[in-house]
């Protein structure tokens, strides 16, 4: 998913990559730029969504009733709240975003749902037809992603439980919206995908450190 940015004087791909939580390489690729150092004020620049764009597939996609309830993509939006006590906590690597995923992993473990994918190196990223802007990619040092192998009602239950734990409105599950969660003074953008294209056989939680 992409959005457009009108290039202003003083903009550079490096500054814009930091602003939109993506990479110079991802911006250059999205805009077919031969020279990443040359951008022109007044032109529009495509900003790739740094979250899960081509998810790692695990098994066959569900059909029938689940397909009829899939949600369409919507524009990105951001909400902000504090998780308070008992909520997700930053820690480990990837700017603390890895630790933020632990709460979701605990919920999945209690439900008997396995983790099917987390970080991927460059070779694996290429194999699954993803790109280096993905939160799964190991080169993104302040991002972490985790996929849980679930489908049908089990996936519904897991997605709702994770949304509740992280303060994400149920109506936003699978809409590609990003939500800002502040924990211990640190801000993280979250994305929860389920029952949207490419996410009928797993629930995806993407987390990015914003500061």
């Amino acid at each position: 998913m992409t959005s457009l940015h009108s290039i202003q004087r003083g903009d550079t791909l490096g500054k814009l990559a930091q602003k939109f939580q993506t990479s110079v390489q991802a911006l250059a690729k999205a805009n077919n730029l031969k020279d990443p150092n040359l951008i022109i004020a007044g032109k529009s620049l495509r900003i790739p969504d740094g979250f899960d764009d081509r998810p790692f597939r695990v098994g066959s996609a569900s059909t029938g009733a689940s397909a009829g309830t899939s949600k369409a993509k919507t524009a990105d939006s951001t909400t902000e709240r504090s998780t308070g006590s008992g909520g997700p906590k930053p820690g480990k690597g990837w700017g603390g975003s890895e630790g933020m995923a632990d709460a979701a992993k605990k919920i999945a473990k209690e439900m008997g749902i396995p983790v099917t994918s987390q970080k991927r190196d460059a070779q694996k990223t290429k194999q699954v037809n993803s790109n280096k802007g993905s939160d799964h990619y190991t080169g993104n040092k302040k991002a972490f992603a985790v996929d849980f192998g679930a489908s049908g009602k089990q996936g519904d239950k897991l997605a709702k439980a994770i949304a509740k734990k992280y303060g994400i409105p149920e109506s936003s599950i699978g809409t590609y919206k990003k939500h800002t969660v502040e924990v211990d003074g640190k801000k993280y953008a979250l994305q929860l995908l389920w029952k949207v294209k490419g996410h009928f056989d797993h629930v995806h939680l993407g987390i990015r450190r914003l500061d």
Side-chain angles (χ1 to χ4, degrees), residues 35-105:
D35 183 359
N37 297 312
L38 180 62
I39 56 176
I40 303 172
K43 297 288 186 178
S44 292
L45 192 72
R46 292 171 61 85
I47 307 297
D49 187 345
F51 285 86
D52 196 37
D53 53 343
R54 291 179 180 231
F56 183 36
R57 302 290 291 162
V58 285
S60 302
S62 298
T63 58
S66 61
T69 57
S70 65
K71 300 179 179 67
K73 296 181 180 180
T74 64
D76 292 344
S77 68
T78 303
T79 61
E80 184 174 336
R81 69 185 294 278
S82 173
T83 58
S85 61
K89 295 291 183 183
K92 300 179 183 178
W94 316 105
S97 60
E98 182 179 5
M100 286 288 289
D102 284 349
K105 291 182 185 179

Side-chain angles (χ1 to χ4, degrees), residues 139-204:
N140 290 323
K141 301 301 183 182
K142 291 188 176 183
F144 193 80
V146 58
D147 292 344
F148 303 98
S151 60
K153 292 182 178 180
Q154 188 182 46
D156 289 338
K157 184 178 179 180
L158 176 62
K160 289 178 181 180
I162 292 175
K164 182 178 181 180
K165 190 67 163 181
Y166 288 81
I168 300 173
E170 285 189 17
S171 60
S172 294
I173 297 173
T175 62
Y176 288 83
K177 292 181 180 180
K178 293 189 284 289
H179 301 267
T180 300
V181 175
E182 183 172 351
V183 184
D184 297 336
K186 300 178 179 64
K187 294 182 179 180
Y188 297 86
L190 309 176
Q191 181 190 58
L192 182 58
L193 299 180
W194 167 241
K195 282 190 175 179
V196 67
K197 185 178 180 181
H199 298 78
F200 288 100
D201 56 6
H202 70 279
V203 176
H204 168 88

Side-chain angles (χ1 to χ4, degrees), residues 25-42:
Q25 294 83 355
L27 285 172
K29 181 178 179 180
N31 292 277
N32 297 316
L33 299 177
K34 294 182 179 179
D35 183 359
N37 297 312
L38 180 62
I39 56 176
I40 303 172

